[in-house]
Amino acid sequence: ADYTAIAKAAMVTEPKVRLVLARREYKRLPKDLLKLAHLPYLELDLRGNDHLDFEQAIDLLRQLPGLRLLILTRNVVKT
């Protein structure tokens, strides 16, 4: 199922969850994403978050063992 709110996605018992956080203007990902660590299969759509701190994002996302698909298109990656 597709969700657009972290809190709702954290409460599901479905084996496969897709969380769409596209175009949210995130600079840093919310730590609430860690509430999804129990999900066995997570797809996360972060398209269009141009100002996202990717170093912080990767540090947080690596704590989600069920993360199977990460969509990052339309983001500006600064090196």
Side-chain angles (χ1 to χ4, degrees), residues 3 31 48 79:
Y3 295 90
K31 290 185 179 183
T79 57

Side-chain angles (χ1 to χ4, degrees), residues 59-72:
D59 284 344
L60 191 133
L61 294 173
R62 68 182 190 178
Q63 297 176 62
L64 299 173
L67 183 61
R68 298 289 180 254
L69 177 67
L70 179 61
I71 302 170
L72 294 172

Side-chain angles (χ1 to χ4, degrees), residues 22 28 38-39 55 61 63 66 74:
R28 296 176 62 82
H38 71 284
L39 296 172
E55 187 173 328
L61 294 173
Q63 297 176 62
R74 297 187 189 135

Side-chain angles (χ1 to χ4, degrees), residues 1 5-6 23 25-26 32 34 39-41 43-44 46-51 55-57 60-61 71 77:
I6 297 169
R23 295 177 290 282
E25 305 283 328
Y26 284 127
D32 281 355
L34 296 177
L39 296 172
Y41 191 103
E43 295 180 359
L44 184 57
L46 293 172
R47 285 177 291 161
N49 286 287
D50 293 337
H51 304 289
E55 187 173 328
Q56 181 267 346
L60 191 133
L61 294 173
I71 302 170
V77 179

